Amino acid sequence: MRELPINIRLDAGSSKTLYEQIYEYIREEIRKGSLLQNERLPSARFLSDYLQVSRTTVDMAYGQLVAEGYLTAKPKKGYFVGDVKELYDTGVEVRHEKPEHDEVKKPPAWRFDFSPTAIDMSCFPYATWKKITKNILVDARSSMFALGEPQGDMELRRTICRYLHGSRGVNCEPEQIIVGAGNDFLLLLLEKILGRHIHVAMENPTYIRAYRIFRSFAYPISLIPMDERGICVDRLTLSGAQLAYVMPSHQYPTGVSMPIGRRMELLQWAAEGQDRYLIEDDYDSEFRYKGKPLPSLQASDRQGRVIYIGTFSKAIAPAIRVSYMVLPYPLLERYRRECGFFSSTVSRIDQTILNEFIRDGYFERYLNKMRKLYRTKHDLLLDELKELEEDFSVSGENAGLHVLLTDKRGRTEEQLEHAAAVAEVKVYGLEAFRMEGTTEKGDLATMILGYGGLSPEEITEGIGILKKVWR
């Protein structure tokens, strides 16, 4: 093992946390090319001893670097520099080989990007948000600038508790809720609660970021196939996993909504094993356009086996980095015993603003407006896709912010992506969400089309182009 050129000078008085200082130092060493691809880093234990900091501090720094792709974690082997050649700052001009096709595969700017993660910010109530912020700062007391409770301010947790019970059927008390700056932080915190070497199972295809985060923990991961009802519980049972990460209401990226029968099978799986838990990521559950919203999996949990995670980033704005986790009582006790010393990662001012935004009804009104807007786009997209019904089957509709098109003519995802890219339209293949090369020979090419970030005019024009290049 080559030792790091350890010139880290940790500053306890800095506005940046110790883990941020370690993270930024290693990141810059990789970017400069001082640390090369596949080079092994010191173990977390060695580095924590050398720097005289806690093991948790180093684990968080390494975990963030893995989540961002700078490092890869290999179980029982350690941490290694990832493939980030494009980030090296060498000052040397890099010449790239000409693409296989004559046309440019990836234009510098897409005319239309059907991203499944983009949202529409045109209706955001900026004036209301500014008014709440101004009033809070005018009336602010010195207590608001104190550190606050580690789990998040109690007023916000009470508000979230009422919101979750009314909208998602979640059964919890404010004391079970932990507020954090994004799902990434909550999953990092959960790793400290659950401990090391937990065998986790994930749906396949799945949410890539969560997969990378679990990999950063060096957790053994079993990828479980899905059918039209969601994750296959019989395969989950055979995997020997202790933890299963699922998205029952609207699975990302397949759009599958898990029926009650499969949910009961999952809960039964969790109840039959000691220390088995389900992580329910309630991804974009606010947006459903047909029938009533599906209740959460946690609403049916009677054994305290569901860890519920949600976020306001999708429903309000990506910059609102406020997520929440509902812990079952056995894990809540473990959290308080093992991790209660962690400070809240969300500013108290931001917590107060969000609390008033939800409590005073602004959030509900904004959500209703966005449901109406997204439903209009959803219906328009499906109308525009009718001319492609001979070539594609449509799935994943009636919820969320994207649909899936499965090719009937035997073409590959690469061919479909390339044809769209030549016309400067960005689309996304489902294969990218299948982890570890698990695509099988019989799998049909499936494209993901998001519509949240496009205007109705852009949807019409973008689909018009795809009709020409895909027929």
Side-chain angles (χ1 to χ4, degrees):
M1 176 187 72
R2 174 183 175 233
E3 299 293 349
L4 268 172
I6 300 180
N7 296 314
I8 307 176
R9 296 292 181 265
L10 299 180
D11 182 2
S14 171
S15 60
K16 295 180 180 179
T17 63
L18 296 177
Y19 106 84
E20 287 177 316
Q21 295 178 51
I22 298 171
Y23 153 77
E24 290 183 358
Y25 173 82
I26 297 176
R27 182 190 64 183
E28 292 309 309
E29 289 296 300
I30 294 173
R31 286 190 169 200
K32 291 187 298 184
S34 300
L35 291 170
L36 304 179
Q37 182 181 350
N38 295 326
E39 195 162 8
R40 184 181 177 189
L41 271 71
S43 69
R45 179 175 298 173
F46 172 86
L47 194 56
S48 65
D49 290 343
Y50 183 89
L51 297 175
Q52 293 297 292
V53 297
S54 72
R55 174 73 176 273
T56 299
T57 298
V58 177
D59 283 341
M60 290 182 70
Y62 276 0
Q64 186 64 30
L65 289 161
V66 172
E68 294 183 10
Y70 289 96
L71 300 181
T72 58
K74 298 181 181 180
K76 299 182 180 180
K77 292 184 179 180
Y79 294 92
F80 298 81
V81 178
D83 184 5
V84 288
K85 298 185 184 72
E86 66 275 12
L87 296 178
Y88 292 166
D89 183 14
T90 60
V92 179
E93 179 183 0
V94 179
R95 297 185 179 273
H96 298 283
E97 295 294 328
K98 183 179 179 181
E100 178 182 347
H101 303 282
D102 292 335
E103 300 88 351
V104 178
K105 273 191 171 182
K106 184 177 180 182
W110 302 102
R111 289 178 62 193
F112 305 104
D113 186 349
F114 285 88
S115 170
T117 60
I119 67 172
D120 192 328
M121 292 295 297
S122 63
C123 296
F124 184 78
Y126 295 100
T128 299
W129 196 269
K130 288 170 65 176
K131 178 183 176 181
I132 294 173
T133 304
K134 180 179 178 181
N135 291 341
I136 286 173
L137 292 176
V138 167
D139 298 334
R141 301 177 299 276
S142 59
S143 60
M144 185 178 294
F145 295 92
L147 191 59
E149 299 176 71
Q151 290 181 230
D153 285 358
M154 179 55 77
E155 283 302 310
L156 176 58
R157 286 188 280 142
R158 286 197 185 103
T159 299
I160 292 174
C161 188
R162 288 193 296 269
Y163 164 70
L164 290 178
H165 184 69
S167 65
R168 307 294 301 123
V170 172
N171 298 307
C172 68
E173 298 296 331
E175 64 184 24
Q176 293 176 261
I177 296 175
I178 299 174
V179 175
N183 287 11
D184 293 4
F185 168 77
L186 294 177
L187 290 177
L188 287 167
L189 184 62
L190 191 58
E191 188 256 353
K192 305 305 172 190
I193 299 170
L194 295 173
R196 293 181 171 274
H197 311 302
I198 300 297
H199 186 171
V200 61
M202 301 186 75
E203 301 157 317
N204 193 36
T206 192
Y207 178 42
I208 296 175
R209 193 169 186 86
Y211 175 83
R212 288 175 174 169
I213 290 172
F214 286 128
R215 281 288 301 271
S216 77
F217 304 155
Y219 276 2
I221 300 176
S222 292
L223 299 168
I224 310 300
M226 299 176 60
D227 59 23
E228 67 281 359
R229 301 173 65 213
I231 189 170
C232 297
V233 180
D234 56 342
R235 298 285 293 273
L236 172 62
T237 302
L238 292 173
S239 72
Q242 304 156 270
L243 181 70
Y245 174 91
V246 294
M247 292 173 274
S249 294
H250 187 242
Q251 202 270 349
Y252 184 81
T254 65
V256 170
S257 294
M258 188 181 295
I260 187 66
R262 182 61 56 87
R263 291 169 182 240
M264 292 300 102
E265 290 179 43
L266 265 182
L267 291 171
Q268 183 66 28
W269 169 84
E272 287 176 349
Q274 186 176 7
D275 281 337
R276 278 187 188 172
Y277 289 96
L278 298 162
I279 300 176
E280 178 181 12
D281 187 343
D282 210 11
Y283 180 81
D284 70 12
S285 61
E286 296 88 356
F287 304 115
R288 189 164 186 82
Y289 316 117
K290 186 177 181 180
K292 296 181 179 179
L294 298 175
S296 66
L297 178 66
Q298 197 270 1
S300 301
D301 180 23
R302 299 292 179 266
Q303 304 295 324
R305 296 304 182 102
V306 176
I307 303 162
Y308 180 90
I309 294 180
T311 181
F312 291 107
S313 296
K314 199 78 172 179
I316 301 180
I320 310 301
R321 300 291 297 161
V322 180
S323 296
Y324 45 87
M325 176 166 62
V326 179
L327 287 178
Y329 275 107
L331 292 184
L332 179 63
E333 294 302 317
R334 198 180 301 177
Y335 159 78
R336 288 172 174 167
R337 185 173 63 250
E338 304 290 341
C339 309
F341 58 88
F342 281 108
S343 300
S344 175
T345 53
V346 181
S347 157
R348 296 194 70 198
I349 294 175
D350 289 340
Q351 292 186 58
T352 306
I353 294 169
L354 180 59
N355 179 59
E356 292 197 13
F357 188 71
I358 301 171
R359 184 196 64 196
D360 295 346
Y362 297 111
F363 177 53
E364 184 177 0
R365 290 194 288 274
Y366 175 61
L367 201 52
N368 288 335
K369 181 182 292 186
M370 294 310 297
R371 286 193 187 106
K372 184 177 179 180
L373 175 62
Y374 287 140
R375 175 161 192 162
T376 299
K377 295 183 180 184
H378 165 270
D379 293 347
L380 173 63
L381 179 67
L382 293 183
D383 284 341
E384 292 293 335
L385 290 174
K386 285 181 179 178
E387 293 183 31
L388 288 173
E389 287 180 351
E390 291 186 5
D391 303 304
F392 296 90
S393 59
V394 179
S395 61
E397 70 274 33
N398 300 319
L401 299 177
H402 70 276
V403 301
L404 291 86
L405 297 182
T406 300
D407 183 64
K408 298 178 180 178
R409 292 168 46 188
R411 292 171 292 186
T412 66
E413 291 181 11
E414 183 179 11
Q415 289 172 330
L416 294 169
E417 283 186 48
H418 174 67
V422 171
E424 300 180 351
V425 177
K426 177 63 174 173
V427 294
Y428 300 79
L430 184 63
E431 186 174 352
F433 298 85
R434 298 184 191 274
M435 299 296 99
E436 299 180 3
T438 52
T439 301
E440 297 181 5
K441 189 174 182 181
D443 290 334
L444 300 175
T446 300
M447 311 309 296
I448 301 172
L449 297 183
Y451 51 84
L454 298 174
S455 68
E457 295 76 17
E458 290 172 327
I459 291 173
T460 299
E461 190 172 349
I463 296 299
I465 293 173
L466 293 180
K467 290 175 187 176
K468 295 177 181 177
V469 300
W470 282 356
R471 296 174 71 184

